[in-house]
Amino acid sequence: MTNVLTELVDALTRGAVNVVDLTQPLGPATPVIGLPPIFAASPGVTIDVISRYDERGPAWYWNTLRLGEHTGTHFDAPIHWVTGRDLPGNACDTIPVRRFVGPACVIDVTADVAANADFLLTTGRIEAWEREHGPIPSGAWVLLRTGWSRRTDAAAFLNVAADGPHSPGFDVRASRLLAHDRDVLGVGVETIGTDAGQAASFDPPFPNHTVMHGAGKFGLASLCHLDQLPATGAIVIAAPLKIVQGSGSPVRVIALAPS
Ligand code: 23J
Ligand code: MN
């Protein structure tokens, strides 16, 4: 007897399917988003030892964690944004688990971002991608491959200038196309957040958060290894911690990809 799951296990064993880690390490060196100073800031990561095979606990090692929900590779739930505050199933503990698994559409704009750190994905680029790869299916993650995760130095990753941070993102019309016309699960990015670095001054401010979360869609930030995924054909698994009324969560994002 075979079924799709025994075939999957067989494909994993044969190496026909790879498990790709799309997650950045999470620790005290993890950079956190800098918002305009009039807004409250998220803290960095603190890890304190409770015991480490010592007088505090002779046979066990464990730590306490302090961190913001939106730290490192993380999930954005619709309740994160005011536009999604009253939607059903909008928080980490109430989103149906079915929505934590979906196909990936990877849009590669690495060359554009190398030339312009403020690059925004446009509807035209999405439509050009669809002419090559087919329509973005309902329930897919759209992953914006920018090469930004190669910026391993925190200052280069945040890329803050006198006028604020500079990093790529989405034109508001692209966010609307993906959320309203394609019914995606959400968008995933290699940058610190799913809006462009300069998005605090856009109209509306933080347009991707505004549109996606208002439509009940998700976000994934600080992804890596998107260059190991095909444009279509991979499956993303991204399940946030079941934080009661959580607005987001650090997450281990993995993809199943054909070898
Ligand atoms: C709060 C305010 C603005 C932004 C963000 C959080 C994020 O990017 C986030 O992690 O959701 S842009
Ligand atoms: Mn976030």
Side-chain angles (χ1 to χ4, degrees):
M1 279 294 281
T2 62
N3 63 41
V4 64
L5 293 180
T6 59
E7 286 168 24
L8 174 59
V9 170
D10 184 55
L12 288 163
T13 304
R14 286 184 289 114
V17 169
N18 272 336
V19 182
V20 183
D21 192 354
L22 306 186
T23 320
Q24 297 276 11
L26 182 66
T30 298
V32 292
I33 192 168
L35 295 176
I38 55 166
F39 302 122
S42 184
V45 177
T46 306
I47 303 179
D48 290 307
V49 176
I50 301 171
S51 71
R52 191 159 191 165
Y53 331 120
D54 52 24
E55 63 287 348
R56 297 171 294 181
W60 49 93
Y61 165 54
W62 51 352
N63 301 313
T64 58
L65 288 174
R66 173 176 153 80
L67 75 177
E69 291 174 324
H70 299 254
T71 304
T73 302
H74 74 271
F75 182 97
D76 291 346
I79 200 175
H80 178 44
W81 220 254
V82 64
T83 49
R85 68 189 288 174
D86 295 322
L87 295 176
N90 62 355
C92 287
D93 59 327
T94 58
I95 297 166
V97 292
R98 168 68 184 91
R99 303 186 73 200
F100 299 148
V101 182
C105 295
V106 182
I107 303 180
D108 184 7
V109 297
T110 305
D112 306 77
V113 171
N116 174 18
D118 296 310
F119 173 83
L120 302 180
L121 187 75
T122 59
T123 57
R125 282 301 288 274
I126 295 169
E127 286 155 358
W129 185 96
E130 288 186 317
R131 282 193 291 276
E132 189 175 350
H133 301 286
I136 294 168
S138 169
W141 278 109
V142 171
L143 305 181
L144 187 63
R145 177 179 163 193
T146 56
W148 205 262
S149 59
R150 291 190 303 228
R151 295 178 175 238
T152 50
D153 173 74
F157 184 74
L158 296 169
N159 201 32
V160 178
D163 60 351
H166 292 266
S167 57
F170 299 87
D171 183 277
V172 67
R173 288 157 291 194
S175 300
R176 289 193 193 112
L177 172 69
L178 294 174
H180 302 153
D181 303 331
R182 298 297 183 273
D183 193 27
V184 297
L185 275 181
V187 293
V189 300
E190 296 180 49
T191 45
I192 195 126
T194 63
D195 264 295
Q198 289 285 293
S201 64
F202 291 177
D203 181 23
F206 307 111
N208 185 70
H209 281 78
T210 302
V211 169
M212 283 291 154
H213 301 325
K217 311 307 185 189
F218 310 144
L220 289 172
S222 295
L223 298 172
C224 59
H225 299 149
L226 297 184
D227 55 350
Q228 295 179 28
L229 302 184
T232 66
I235 294 173
V236 168
I237 303 171
L241 297 179
K242 202 168 183 173
I243 301 167
V244 176
Q245 287 295 285
S247 77
S249 160
V251 64
R252 189 71 177 257
V253 184
I254 59 173
L256 303 180
S259 306

